Amino acid sequence: MKRILTIQDISCLGKCSITIALPIISAMGVETVILPTAVLSTHTMFDNFTVKDLTDQLVPITEHWKSQGVKFDAIYTGYLGSEEEIEIAKKIFEEFGGDDTLIFIDPVMADNGKLYPAFDMKYAKLNAGLCGKADIIVPNVTEACFMTDTEYREEYDEAYVLGLLDKLSKLGAKKVVLTGISLAEGKTGVYGIDTVTGEKIIYQNDKVEASYHGTGDIFASVAVGAIVQGIPLNDAFKIAADYTAETIKVTIENPKQPWYGVDFETTIPKLVDTLKTYK
Ligand code: PXL
């Protein structure tokens, strides 16, 4: 069985980060090892959330794993709570990485043109440095702009996307995949490039006109869970994009709290069925 280490926070209530990655990647038939960066009462879209930072636990936990000789097929990082945690993540890549370990980074820090409450430009730049160590990065347009000093645009054309990809490629990651890219009215998807071969990764599906918290974490979890099992990149990103769209559609039937999270529990069986067709 493949084994993924995911490094991100536990938001106890509200669906995101580890409470999405763990059930989804496990349901995909991949062991999911967690390294929690912090424990929050809720994710940061709620008012007055509590945070217990776990930075001081990261090294002792990983030292113990090292002593047990553990290996990972992939390391997937998401929301990292602080600059220090970015530095520790780099060291974890060095210690547990290698040719057989895929480094997959979702540089979670911003959306819709704005940084999340906990972050500033210095953090964005450090995250750009972390992305340079990756095999695959999956930023959204906002995150890409903050990491490359590019003006954020709500509306853009393909040239703008190619410009962003070019700047992201210079950070050093091997494959750079922008998420939430709309190239035509009513469509959304991914636009990426393999910086080594120049091959493009493009997929567009129908845009569901609703925005929910945690959908980026769903997309990233499904993509890394598929890629680590040997599913080709284009297929993996299609599966992830389609599953995310389907889950948003199902959630719209219960539209009360868009900031709370999506009903992925309802759609997991479909994801499992989809994967069977690739095995
Ligand atoms: O979904 C990304 C995410 C993860 N973890 C925490 C967050 C967010 C986005 O706001 O607040 C704590």
Side-chain angles (χ1 to χ4, degrees):
M1 184 181 283
K2 298 288 182 184
R3 177 187 289 143
I4 293 180
L5 164 63
T6 187
I7 311 175
Q8 39 188 334
D9 67 280
I10 295 178
S11 290
C12 299
L13 178 84
K15 302 178 223 181
C16 71
S17 42
I18 284 182
T19 62
I20 283 180
L22 187 50
I24 288 189
I25 298 172
S26 297
M28 295 174 81
V30 175
E31 181 185 345
T32 314
V33 176
I34 60 168
L35 185 58
T37 52
V39 179
L40 293 83
S41 54
T42 63
H43 61 61
T44 60
M45 299 297 126
F46 285 74
D47 289 333
N48 305 321
F49 56 89
T50 68
V51 188
K52 172 70 181 170
D53 181 76
L54 296 178
T55 306
D56 67 355
Q57 293 303 302
L58 304 185
V59 173
I61 291 172
T62 49
E63 285 295 321
H64 180 223
W65 291 343
K66 241 194 304 170
S67 76
Q68 303 301 302
V70 68
K71 299 243 180 309
F72 302 109
D73 298 293
I75 302 177
Y76 155 38
T77 65
Y79 186 103
L80 299 172
S82 64
E83 293 165 12
E84 197 183 344
E85 286 188 343
I86 291 181
E87 292 306 324
I88 294 173
K90 271 191 204 160
K91 291 206 183 88
I92 293 173
F93 294 167
E94 279 160 23
E95 283 170 4
F96 292 90
D99 289 346
D100 298 331
T101 304
L102 176 87
I103 305 288
F104 185 101
I105 299 185
D106 184 2
V108 177
M109 62 183 152
D111 205 1
N112 302 313
K114 285 198 207 110
L115 285 164
Y116 291 144
F119 304 132
D120 57 19
M121 270 318 287
K122 184 161 172 242
Y123 179 90
K125 287 292 166 183
L126 282 173
N127 229 347
L130 185 70
C131 282
K133 312 274 175 206
D135 293 300
I136 303 177
I137 60 170
V138 290
N140 61 33
V141 173
T142 306
E143 288 154 351
C145 286
F146 278 113
M147 290 196 292
T148 61
D149 296 318
T150 307
E151 185 201 349
Y152 172 76
R153 289 201 206 147
E154 290 278 340
E155 305 208 342
Y156 48 77
D157 55 12
E158 196 168 359
Y160 176 79
V161 175
L162 288 171
L164 264 181
L165 285 178
D166 186 47
K167 289 193 206 169
L168 286 170
S169 299
K170 296 195 172 105
L171 298 179
K174 295 196 188 100
K175 294 174 182 102
V176 173
V177 180
L178 280 165
T179 62
I181 295 295
S182 175
L183 291 176
E185 181 93 23
K187 297 279 177 187
T188 188
V190 298
Y191 199 125
I193 192 155
D194 181 323
T195 64
V196 181
T197 63
E199 228 171 294
K200 284 189 179 159
I201 302 154
I202 302 175
Y203 182 66
Q204 295 273 287
N205 58 9
D206 290 339
K207 184 168 186 172
V208 189
E209 283 305 336
S211 175
Y212 285 94
H213 193 263
T215 50
D217 301 335
I218 294 209
F219 175 85
S221 298
V222 175
V224 69
I227 293 164
V228 81
Q229 296 188 78
I231 294 177
L233 276 194
N234 277 298
D235 291 333
F237 284 115
K238 175 185 184 313
I239 295 168
D242 287 346
Y243 177 68
T244 306
E246 172 67 17
T247 305
I248 295 173
K249 261 192 226 153
V250 165
T251 309
I252 289 174
E253 287 159 24
N254 174 18
K256 269 190 281 168
Q257 300 173 314
W259 42 267
Y260 188 88
V262 283
D263 295 350
F264 67 87
E265 299 87 343
T266 309
T267 50
I268 277 189
K270 277 196 189 167
L271 174 63
V272 173
D273 283 346
T274 304
L275 286 175
K276 283 184 197 147
T277 67
Y278 285 88
K279 284 184 180 160

